[in-house]
Amino acid sequence: MSEFRRACEKVKQFMLGDNELKTIRDRLLENMRRGLDREGVKDAKVKMLPSFVTHLPDGRECGTFIALDLGGTNFRVLLIDINEEQIDMDSQIYRVPQECMTGTGEALFDHIAKCMSDFINRMGFADRNIACGFTFSFPCEQNAINSASLITWTKGFSASGVAGKDVVALLTEAVARRGDITVEIVAVVNDTVGTLMSCAFEDHACQIGLIAGTGSNACYMEKQSNITKLDGLQDADGKMCINMEWGAFGDDGALDEWTTEYDRILDANSVHPTKQRFEKMMAGMYLGEIVRLILLDMCKEGIVFTDDALPILETPESFGTHMVSQIVDNQPRHFAAVQNILACADIGAIRRDCEIVHMVCDAVSRRASYMCAAGISAIAIKIHQNRPDEYLDITCGVDGSVYKKHPTFAKLLKVKTNELVGLGIYVNFRLSHDGSGKGAALVSAVSTR
Ligand code: BGC
């Protein structure tokens, strides 16, 4: 068998047909029901976390706020001015050093407070008492809009002493330790919720928020009467935004049929083994690694490159997700461009190698967008079930590096979602620039109104 044929054989397992995607969609729907249910939630992997955001912005919000956005490789501090249906902002990006992500919680929150202080000083707000919205993009149990206990870290974070604690209190303490700024954290939101809020500010049909970035997750507006696990909801006809934490879908084996040997190796080597199985199939933090593991296996079997490439392919993180994007951006027949990208990583490739690499990158990216489409179609169907007689035309607000930077992810996501939703539903996607940060300010505006 030719090398190309042997490579196709290996890549086949990443190709999911519509029937398989529908099975995944329906399993997620079942998980969603369980996560909202008083009894079912006890062993639910998809946590379906209430956000205590009950209203989308209506354009009347106003004020000046600081927003913090922590969740990926960078930490952003923003100054946001909401005024007459317009949002002006300035911001600064700060790096979160590896030792803060994986050290002590105190060091992490001290770092955040230091960046806040630096930014607030630069903006000339040091002597003002300013309200702050905190976008904290990890699974949190909330019982109010300004309190959120971390359930568990995800992505590359593992700072000690934070799980089980209220992150608003930890940040407030860190700010108090410095004593040089006066901020009150009035709202804490997940990045998906922030994205939904900022997209809904511009588009009233927006009911879903999606992050396709370093991590992956979605939220949507659910009828309060369906959230039976939550006591004391005032408004039987009202809604509440649910942070699904869909990344954990599959942690009970629900995705095992579609889990490849490469997914298993990736999981075993990750910061949080056995956790976030759905996320590990589609988020930016992992796509490059999956490609690396496939190419390593193929290289060992003599299908691609020569043994000279082994030391590089054996090095974790040597194949970044940005390389996957760049490679997919080229036609396989334009092999010289792929060859250059590989050369930058010190991998020597002939034409056949480039074609195989292209095929691998395409298959891994395609699976990611189709998995995501299965997820969004499950949400759209769930929303439609509340009003089955009406045609549902909704918008999904999206933010995240994979959605913004990958050349085919967004298009495949849109097409496949609408193939999977069935009749009577249409889902439009709308990029929400800086949505997660702006959304925290909008939630703050609503909650201080
Ligand atoms: C986190 C979510 C977050 C997503 C996108 C996941 O790892 O658990 O809370 O929304 O990443 O940032």
Side-chain angles (χ1 to χ4, degrees):
M1 215 181 347
S2 75
E3 281 83 354
F4 197 77
R5 285 286 294 279
R6 286 166 67 204
C8 286
E9 284 301 311
K10 288 203 180 273
V11 162
K12 245 200 218 146
Q13 41 185 335
F14 285 86
M15 296 175 177
L16 304 179
D18 281 2
N19 284 338
E20 292 171 285
L21 292 168
K22 284 178 188 163
T23 308
I24 295 169
R25 175 199 70 190
D26 294 344
R27 278 194 198 163
L28 180 59
L29 255 173
E30 184 43 40
N31 272 262
M32 291 167 74
R33 279 193 208 98
R34 213 184 300 155
L36 292 171
D37 183 66
R38 187 181 295 273
E39 282 307 306
V41 68
K42 291 178 188 140
D43 51 9
K45 291 295 177 190
V46 180
K47 292 264 175 277
M48 305 296 283
L49 300 166
S51 68
F52 290 82
V53 170
T54 50
H55 292 91
L56 294 173
D58 60 8
R60 286 183 295 149
E61 293 71 23
C62 63
T64 303
F65 302 89
I66 288 289
L68 310 176
D69 191 351
L70 179 76
T73 27
N74 291 319
F75 167 61
R76 286 184 79 189
V77 191
L78 306 91
L79 179 69
I80 297 177
D81 194 52
I82 312 171
N83 210 335
E84 294 186 359
E85 303 203 359
Q86 200 185 310
I87 299 183
D88 291 319
M89 56 168 249
D90 200 344
S91 71
Q92 186 163 333
I93 295 177
Y94 296 87
R95 225 175 56 79
V96 184
Q98 184 74 21
E99 58 276 17
C100 283
M101 288 162 83
T102 56
T104 66
E106 195 170 298
L108 174 64
F109 283 95
D110 279 343
H111 176 70
I112 296 173
K114 179 175 175 292
C115 300
M116 271 172 92
S117 157
D118 172 73
F119 180 76
I120 290 174
N121 272 297
R122 288 197 72 184
M123 290 293 128
F125 276 77
D127 47 10
R128 266 178 65 175
N129 186 352
I130 189 158
C132 168
F134 185 13
T135 304
F136 183 73
S137 309
F138 301 93
C140 287
E141 204 76 68
Q142 285 194 248
N143 47 37
I145 190 68
N146 60 351
S147 148
S149 323
L150 176 68
I151 298 174
T152 172
W153 286 114
T154 57
K155 297 173 277 199
F157 284 72
S158 61
S160 61
V162 185
K165 303 254 175 68
D166 180 359
V167 295
V168 174
L170 293 179
L171 181 56
T172 306
E173 283 159 25
V175 168
R177 275 198 288 279
R178 298 186 60 81
D180 60 348
I181 45 171
T182 329
V183 287
E184 187 191 354
I185 297 143
V186 295
V188 54
V189 296
N190 186 260
D191 50 356
T192 55
V193 180
T195 299
L196 168 56
M197 291 296 279
S198 71
C199 190
F201 188 71
E202 293 159 4
D203 178 344
H204 294 302
C206 187
Q207 288 198 49
I208 305 176
L210 167 69
I211 298 290
T214 308
S216 173
N217 188 17
C219 71
Y220 71 103
M221 296 306 287
E222 178 60 277
K223 252 170 88 168
Q224 292 187 5
S225 56
N226 287 341
I227 315 173
T228 58
K229 65 176 174 179
L230 213 58
D231 285 324
L233 284 180
Q234 308 294 320
D235 185 359
D237 295 325
K239 291 182 173 175
M240 185 183 283
C241 182
I242 295 290
N243 164 21
M244 288 178 61
E245 288 297 332
W246 80 10
F249 176 41
D251 289 4
D252 55 358
L255 291 168
D256 282 3
E257 285 117 288
W258 304 282
T259 305
T260 69
E261 57 186 295
Y262 311 107
D263 295 306
R264 284 187 283 274
I265 303 172
L266 175 115
D267 177 56
N269 295 339
S270 67
V271 181
H272 304 287
T274 74
K275 300 275 167 29
Q276 301 290 103
R277 303 306 294 262
F278 194 45
E279 174 170 79
K280 282 173 181 159
M281 291 178 162
M282 57 184 176
M285 181 161 172
Y286 307 105
L287 295 182
E289 270 299 271
I290 302 175
V291 169
R292 176 183 74 81
L293 291 166
I294 302 171
L295 294 177
L296 173 61
D297 176 42
M298 289 182 174
C299 185
K300 281 183 181 159
E301 291 194 15
I303 299 173
V304 76
F305 312 129
T306 64
D307 285 357
D308 291 345
L310 277 178
I312 291 157
L313 293 174
E314 270 159 355
T315 310
E317 317 278 319
S318 59
F319 209 101
T321 297
H322 66 281
M323 289 169 70
V324 179
S325 292
Q326 286 168 4
I327 289 167
V328 174
D329 208 13
N330 291 285
Q331 293 292 325
R333 64 177 184 281
H334 296 150
F335 81 98
V338 177
Q339 198 170 43
N340 275 324
I341 298 163
L342 293 169
C344 289
D346 255 340
I347 303 176
I350 58 171
R351 180 184 190 129
R352 185 183 67 222
D353 297 329
C354 296
E355 285 169 358
I356 291 175
V357 171
H358 190 280
M359 176 175 66
V360 171
C361 291
D362 183 70
V364 171
S365 321
R366 196 172 284 267
R367 184 185 69 161
S369 54
Y370 286 1
M371 285 279 186
C372 190
I376 297 296
S377 66
I379 300 177
I381 291 171
K382 183 82 177 66
I383 295 175
H384 193 229
Q385 283 167 352
N386 291 333
R387 275 176 303 167
D389 299 332
E390 289 172 29
Y391 183 81
L392 182 71
D393 188 347
I394 45 169
T395 303
C396 171
V398 200
D399 203 354
S401 51
V402 174
Y403 188 84
K404 284 193 289 206
K405 295 193 185 142
H406 190 286
T408 57
F409 185 92
K411 174 137 186 275
L412 293 174
L413 170 64
K414 181 172 177 180
V415 171
K416 191 52 83 185
T417 300
N418 286 298
E419 279 170 13
L420 295 174
V421 284
L423 290 178
I425 305 178
Y426 184 77
V427 186
N428 203 10
F429 290 84
R430 184 178 177 126
L431 176 64
S432 168
H433 278 291
D434 306 313
S436 49
K438 273 190 216 158
L442 279 166
V443 178
S444 307
V446 175
S447 68
T448 53
R449 192 158 61 196

PDB file of all heavy atoms in Angstrom, residues 137-139 154-155 190-192 211 215-217 245 276 279, ligand 1:
ATOM      1  N   SER A 137     -13.092  32.312  33.135  1.00  0.00           N
ATOM      2  CA  SER A 137     -13.561  31.282  32.195  1.00  0.00           C
ATOM      3  C   SER A 137     -13.214  29.858  32.611  1.00  0.00           C
ATOM      4  O   SER A 137     -12.452  29.157  31.931  1.00  0.00           O
ATOM      5  CB  SER A 137     -12.986  31.594  30.827  1.00  0.00           C
ATOM      6  OG  SER A 137     -13.265  32.922  30.530  1.00  0.00           O
ATOM      7  N   PHE A 138     -13.795  29.492  33.748  1.00  0.00           N
ATOM      8  CA  PHE A 138     -13.637  28.137  34.288  1.00  0.00           C
ATOM      9  C   PHE A 138     -14.961  27.752  34.937  1.00  0.00           C
ATOM     10  O   PHE A 138     -15.750  28.627  35.270  1.00  0.00           O
ATOM     11  CB  PHE A 138     -12.493  28.126  35.327  1.00  0.00           C
ATOM     12  CG  PHE A 138     -11.187  28.567  34.751  1.00  0.00           C
ATOM     13  CD1 PHE A 138     -10.795  29.899  34.821  1.00  0.00           C
ATOM     14  CD2 PHE A 138     -10.369  27.675  34.076  1.00  0.00           C
ATOM     15  CE1 PHE A 138      -9.604  30.327  34.246  1.00  0.00           C
ATOM     16  CE2 PHE A 138      -9.180  28.092  33.505  1.00  0.00           C
ATOM     17  CZ  PHE A 138      -8.795  29.417  33.589  1.00  0.00           C
ATOM     18  N   PRO A 139     -15.200  26.453  35.114  1.00  0.00           N
ATOM     19  CA  PRO A 139     -16.481  26.051  35.698  1.00  0.00           C
ATOM     20  C   PRO A 139     -16.636  26.531  37.128  1.00  0.00           C
ATOM     21  O   PRO A 139     -15.777  26.251  37.973  1.00  0.00           O
ATOM     22  CB  PRO A 139     -16.444  24.515  35.646  1.00  0.00           C
ATOM     23  CG  PRO A 139     -15.063  24.127  35.248  1.00  0.00           C
ATOM     24  CD  PRO A 139     -14.362  25.316  34.718  1.00  0.00           C
ATOM     25  N   THR A 154      -9.473  24.067  34.473  1.00  0.00           N
ATOM     26  CA  THR A 154      -9.391  23.368  33.185  1.00  0.00           C
ATOM     27  C   THR A 154      -8.223  23.988  32.405  1.00  0.00           C
ATOM     28  O   THR A 154      -7.477  24.797  32.951  1.00  0.00           O
ATOM     29  CB  THR A 154     -10.701  23.526  32.370  1.00  0.00           C
ATOM     30  OG1 THR A 154     -10.960  24.921  32.192  1.00  0.00           O
ATOM     31  CG2 THR A 154     -11.885  22.868  33.076  1.00  0.00           C
ATOM     32  N   LYS A 155      -8.103  23.629  31.153  1.00  0.00           N
ATOM     33  CA  LYS A 155      -7.035  24.135  30.265  1.00  0.00           C
ATOM     34  C   LYS A 155      -5.680  23.978  30.960  1.00  0.00           C
ATOM     35  O   LYS A 155      -5.434  22.968  31.590  1.00  0.00           O
ATOM     36  CB  LYS A 155      -7.343  25.588  29.858  1.00  0.00           C
ATOM     37  CG  LYS A 155      -8.632  25.658  29.047  1.00  0.00           C
ATOM     38  CD  LYS A 155      -9.108  27.052  28.742  1.00  0.00           C
ATOM     39  CE  LYS A 155      -9.886  27.631  29.887  1.00  0.00           C
ATOM     40  NZ  LYS A 155     -10.732  28.751  29.528  1.00  0.00           N
ATOM     41  N   ASN A 190     -18.849  33.753  33.093  1.00  0.00           N
ATOM     42  CA  ASN A 190     -18.050  32.896  32.223  1.00  0.00           C
ATOM     43  C   ASN A 190     -17.860  33.629  30.888  1.00  0.00           C
ATOM     44  O   ASN A 190     -18.688  34.470  30.517  1.00  0.00           O
ATOM     45  CB  ASN A 190     -18.812  31.569  32.035  1.00  0.00           C
ATOM     46  CG  ASN A 190     -17.996  30.543  31.271  1.00  0.00           C
ATOM     47  OD1 ASN A 190     -18.182  30.356  30.082  1.00  0.00           O
ATOM     48  ND2 ASN A 190     -17.068  29.899  31.945  1.00  0.00           N
ATOM     49  N   ASP A 191     -16.810  33.289  30.141  1.00  0.00           N
ATOM     50  CA  ASP A 191     -16.585  33.980  28.862  1.00  0.00           C
ATOM     51  C   ASP A 191     -17.709  33.726  27.853  1.00  0.00           C
ATOM     52  O   ASP A 191     -18.056  34.591  27.045  1.00  0.00           O
ATOM     53  CB  ASP A 191     -15.214  33.629  28.242  1.00  0.00           C
ATOM     54  CG  ASP A 191     -14.925  32.146  28.161  1.00  0.00           C
ATOM     55  OD1 ASP A 191     -15.735  31.334  28.654  1.00  0.00           O
ATOM     56  OD2 ASP A 191     -13.870  31.773  27.608  1.00  0.00           O
ATOM     57  N   THR A 192     -18.325  32.541  27.910  1.00  0.00           N
ATOM     58  CA  THR A 192     -19.438  32.266  26.996  1.00  0.00           C
ATOM     59  C   THR A 192     -20.593  33.224  27.283  1.00  0.00           C
ATOM     60  O   THR A 192     -21.221  33.757  26.370  1.00  0.00           O
ATOM     61  CB  THR A 192     -19.942  30.823  27.157  1.00  0.00           C
ATOM     62  OG1 THR A 192     -20.280  30.602  28.528  1.00  0.00           O
ATOM     63  CG2 THR A 192     -18.905  29.813  26.734  1.00  0.00           C
ATOM     64  N   ILE A 211     -17.621  29.799  22.809  1.00  0.00           N
ATOM     65  CA  ILE A 211     -16.183  30.083  22.749  1.00  0.00           C
ATOM     66  C   ILE A 211     -15.513  28.916  22.047  1.00  0.00           C
ATOM     67  O   ILE A 211     -15.633  27.760  22.477  1.00  0.00           O
ATOM     68  CB  ILE A 211     -15.558  30.260  24.157  1.00  0.00           C
ATOM     69  CG1 ILE A 211     -16.165  31.439  24.912  1.00  0.00           C
ATOM     70  CG2 ILE A 211     -14.025  30.429  24.050  1.00  0.00           C
ATOM     71  CD1 ILE A 211     -15.816  32.818  24.402  1.00  0.00           C
ATOM     72  N   GLY A 215      -9.925  27.052  24.983  1.00  0.00           N
ATOM     73  CA  GLY A 215     -10.887  26.067  25.493  1.00  0.00           C
ATOM     74  C   GLY A 215     -12.146  26.121  24.656  1.00  0.00           C
ATOM     75  O   GLY A 215     -12.253  26.913  23.716  1.00  0.00           O
ATOM     76  N   SER A 216     -13.113  25.282  25.000  1.00  0.00           N
ATOM     77  CA  SER A 216     -14.370  25.271  24.256  1.00  0.00           C
ATOM     78  C   SER A 216     -15.548  25.116  25.217  1.00  0.00           C
ATOM     79  O   SER A 216     -15.501  24.322  26.148  1.00  0.00           O
ATOM     80  CB  SER A 216     -14.360  24.104  23.265  1.00  0.00           C
ATOM     81  OG  SER A 216     -15.621  23.992  22.661  1.00  0.00           O
ATOM     82  N   ASN A 217     -16.596  25.922  24.963  1.00  0.00           N
ATOM     83  CA  ASN A 217     -17.751  25.888  25.846  1.00  0.00           C
ATOM     84  C   ASN A 217     -18.868  26.714  25.223  1.00  0.00           C
ATOM     85  O   ASN A 217     -18.632  27.499  24.307  1.00  0.00           O
ATOM     86  CB  ASN A 217     -17.347  26.475  27.209  1.00  0.00           C
ATOM     87  CG  ASN A 217     -18.407  26.326  28.271  1.00  0.00           C
ATOM     88  OD1 ASN A 217     -19.328  25.525  28.139  1.00  0.00           O
ATOM     89  ND2 ASN A 217     -18.285  27.099  29.350  1.00  0.00           N
ATOM     90  N   GLU A 245     -20.733  24.301  30.309  1.00  0.00           N
ATOM     91  CA  GLU A 245     -19.480  23.570  30.550  1.00  0.00           C
ATOM     92  C   GLU A 245     -19.496  22.263  29.758  1.00  0.00           C
ATOM     93  O   GLU A 245     -19.253  21.173  30.277  1.00  0.00           O
ATOM     94  CB  GLU A 245     -19.254  23.329  32.048  1.00  0.00           C
ATOM     95  CG  GLU A 245     -18.882  24.585  32.810  1.00  0.00           C
ATOM     96  CD  GLU A 245     -17.552  25.217  32.375  1.00  0.00           C
ATOM     97  OE1 GLU A 245     -16.657  24.502  31.888  1.00  0.00           O
ATOM     98  OE2 GLU A 245     -17.430  26.453  32.506  1.00  0.00           O
ATOM     99  N   GLN A 276     -12.562  16.786  30.593  1.00  0.00           N
ATOM    100  CA  GLN A 276     -12.762  17.680  29.440  1.00  0.00           C
ATOM    101  C   GLN A 276     -12.537  16.952  28.106  1.00  0.00           C
ATOM    102  O   GLN A 276     -11.855  17.462  27.220  1.00  0.00           O
ATOM    103  CB  GLN A 276     -11.838  18.911  29.556  1.00  0.00           C
ATOM    104  CG  GLN A 276     -12.039  19.742  30.809  1.00  0.00           C
ATOM    105  CD  GLN A 276     -13.336  20.513  30.837  1.00  0.00           C
ATOM    106  OE1 GLN A 276     -14.283  20.107  31.527  1.00  0.00           O
ATOM    107  NE2 GLN A 276     -13.446  21.595  30.117  1.00  0.00           N
ATOM    108  N   GLU A 279     -13.911  18.858  24.997  1.00  0.00           N
ATOM    109  CA  GLU A 279     -13.041  20.020  24.750  1.00  0.00           C
ATOM    110  C   GLU A 279     -11.727  19.592  24.103  1.00  0.00           C
ATOM    111  O   GLU A 279     -11.213  20.266  23.202  1.00  0.00           O
ATOM    112  CB  GLU A 279     -12.765  20.731  26.080  1.00  0.00           C
ATOM    113  CG  GLU A 279     -11.769  21.870  25.982  1.00  0.00           C
ATOM    114  CD  GLU A 279     -11.710  22.703  27.257  1.00  0.00           C
ATOM    115  OE1 GLU A 279     -11.067  22.286  28.243  1.00  0.00           O
ATOM    116  OE2 GLU A 279     -12.317  23.774  27.275  1.00  0.00           O
TER     117      GLU A 279
HETATM  118  C1  BGC B   1     -13.731  26.246  30.636  1.00  0.00           C
HETATM  119  C2  BGC B   1     -14.958  27.085  30.345  1.00  0.00           C
HETATM  120  C3  BGC B   1     -14.641  28.145  29.326  1.00  0.00           C
HETATM  121  C4  BGC B   1     -13.988  27.525  28.094  1.00  0.00           C
HETATM  122  C5  BGC B   1     -13.593  28.562  27.064  1.00  0.00           C
HETATM  123  C6  BGC B   1     -13.150  25.715  29.344  1.00  0.00           C
HETATM  124  O1  BGC B   1     -11.966  25.022  29.603  1.00  0.00           O
HETATM  125  O2  BGC B   1     -14.041  25.176  31.490  1.00  0.00           O
HETATM  126  O3  BGC B   1     -15.439  27.697  31.538  1.00  0.00           O
HETATM  127  O4  BGC B   1     -15.814  28.798  28.960  1.00  0.00           O
HETATM  128  O5  BGC B   1     -12.842  26.793  28.465  1.00  0.00           O
HETATM  129  O6  BGC B   1     -12.695  29.490  27.575  1.00  0.00           O
END
